[in-house]
Amino acid sequence: MYLGVKAVIAKSMARIHKNNLINHGVLPLIFADKEDYDKISLGDQLVLSDCLEGIRKKEIQVTDKTKRFTFKTVLDISDDEAEVLLAGGQLRYIKKQIQA
């Protein structure tokens, strides 16, 4: 979060790691097709498309601008976790709830 990380893309993710990412407003993305993992390289420029709608649909499309291909990722999250992500993390979510 403090380093500017917006998303983590992995083949799989431990529950506690996923929860920590969500609490900090970082998208915990899983490759829809695990073979896409081998197609990207260190230093590739990845662009996430339409994140707000993707959080609601629990699916985000990622474009590798370096190698010019697109792949899908999924968000294995509950509706409550999606609301936390849309708020920007747990602290912002709670602040929003208190102000309402």
Side-chain angles (χ1 to χ4, degrees):
M1 176 178 148
Y2 300 109
L3 297 174
V5 174
K6 304 296 180 196
V8 171
I9 307 173
K11 289 182 182 179
S12 65
M13 199 168 300
R15 181 181 48 86
I16 189 70
H17 183 58
K18 179 185 83 166
N19 290 341
N20 286 335
L21 291 172
I22 291 168
N23 287 339
H24 286 92
V26 177
L27 299 173
L29 302 174
I30 304 295
F31 286 98
D33 179 1
K34 297 199 186 330
E35 292 179 11
D36 289 331
Y37 172 85
D38 295 321
K39 295 178 184 176
I40 61 174
S41 302
L42 183 65
D44 284 3
Q45 182 182 6
L46 303 179
V47 178
L48 283 68
S49 301
D50 199 14
C51 289
L52 295 179
E53 187 60 29
I55 293 170
R56 291 181 184 95
K57 291 181 179 179
K58 300 180 183 172
E59 180 179 288
I60 295 178
Q61 189 167 337
V62 180
T63 302
D64 185 325
K65 291 196 126 194
T66 307
K67 295 182 180 162
R68 296 187 178 112
F69 76 95
T70 302
F71 58 95
K72 289 185 179 181
T73 60
V74 294
L75 281 158
D76 183 20
I77 58 174
S78 68
D79 291 338
D80 290 336
E81 290 170 328
E83 290 300 318
V84 171
L85 284 170
L86 288 168
Q90 190 70 31
L91 291 175
R92 289 182 181 166
Y93 178 76
I94 292 170
K95 182 178 178 182
K96 186 177 171 184
Q97 296 299 315
I98 292 171
Q99 290 176 346

